[in-house]
Structures are given as C-alpha cells and as structure tokens.
Amino acid sequence: MLVRGRYQGDGIGLVDDKGRVAIPSALRTTLSANAPKANGKDGGTIIIGAHQKNRCLVAYDPGYVDILAERLDRRESENTSANGEYDYNIKRAAASGEAVPFDGSGRFIMPAFPRFYAGIKGHAFFYGVLDYIEIWDPATLIATDGMPPVVKEMARFYMAEKGVEL
C-alpha cells in the first residue's frame, strides 16, 4: 500500500496577471512525492477546485481523487432516504477540479474560474490541511468567520513581509 505524504506547511505566492503562481516548497515536496512524474523529471500535476464550503480553493495530487470519491460515495450512502433518493449536491459541492501541470519550481497557472471564485488576485495564501492544500485570497481568509486565529495571523504575517497590511 502506498503511504501518502500529508500536506503540512504554508506560504504566500505572488500571482501574476495570467494566474501563474508557485507552490511553497514544503507543500510542493509532498505534492511531488505523492504524484511523481513517470519520466522521473521534476514537476507533476496538481488538481485545483473550489472548496465545498469556503470561498477558497482546494488543491491536491491526482491520487487523492479516489480517496475523495470513496468519502463522497460513503456520504451519499449514509444520506440516502428510504425511497433510495440521495442528496445530489454531496458530490456537486466537492467534485469541482481541474488538473494542471506544475514545473520543478512549483509554478503553475491557476485556472481562471477557480481563481475568480476565490477572489485571488495578486497574492495566494497556501495552507496544508493534511489531505489537501487550501489556497486563499489573504483578505478573504481574514474576513471569514470561523477560521482559526493562528491561520489568520499566518496570512497577515506573510502579507506584512510583502509590505501589505491586512
């Protein structure tokens, strides 16, 4: 059985006008280990989609798709009514995602709709949450109710390092 690396780490990335951004090193290392390129070269594939609850993005390696599908199948079966009907929104909310390549330095082009959905413009805050990576517009993260204070302070810290106060 393949032992998957867990996504831990955080950082800020500058997003250019075409949506190019680099995955922070600690997260990129895990991503590359979870989905090595068949030809042994650096880089790989990252899947980017809308978060099922918050106004941010989720990112993960292709191997996580089967794990996610299994979890969603289980949720559907646990939420099936007596007549066999289930909540079709269970998978709709969690199934968005677009596979995009990243290079050896972790640079990739963030797809346009997910970037629009999350309100990501000049900066993207990356935060590893073990199974996947969340990508936030820093100001949106800080304004989101229910976010742990330490995560909000991380975003403030990285933005202050860039000379931007939030």
Side-chain angles (χ1 to χ4, degrees), residues 128-163:
V129 291
L130 300 178
D131 291 332
Y132 54 88
I133 302 162
E134 291 183 349
I135 306 173
W136 288 85
D137 166 68
T140 301
L141 184 149
I142 290 168
T144 299
D145 290 335
M147 289 300 295
V150 68
V151 179
K152 291 182 178 191
E153 287 304 308
M154 282 179 205
R156 281 190 183 97
F157 170 80
Y158 287 117
M159 292 302 287
E161 281 192 326
K162 301 288 184 195

Side-chain angles (χ1 to χ4, degrees), residues 97-114:
E98 184 174 339
V100 295
F102 66 93
D103 65 19
S105 65
R107 288 181 58 84
F108 70 98
I109 297 174
M110 199 176 303
F113 175 74

Side-chain angles (χ1 to χ4, degrees), residues 1-18:
M1 180 177 156
L2 174 68
V3 176
R4 294 180 52 77
R6 298 291 187 153
Y7 296 104
Q8 289 185 285
D10 49 79
I12 200 89
L14 293 173
V15 182
D16 72 12
D17 58 349
K18 293 182 181 176

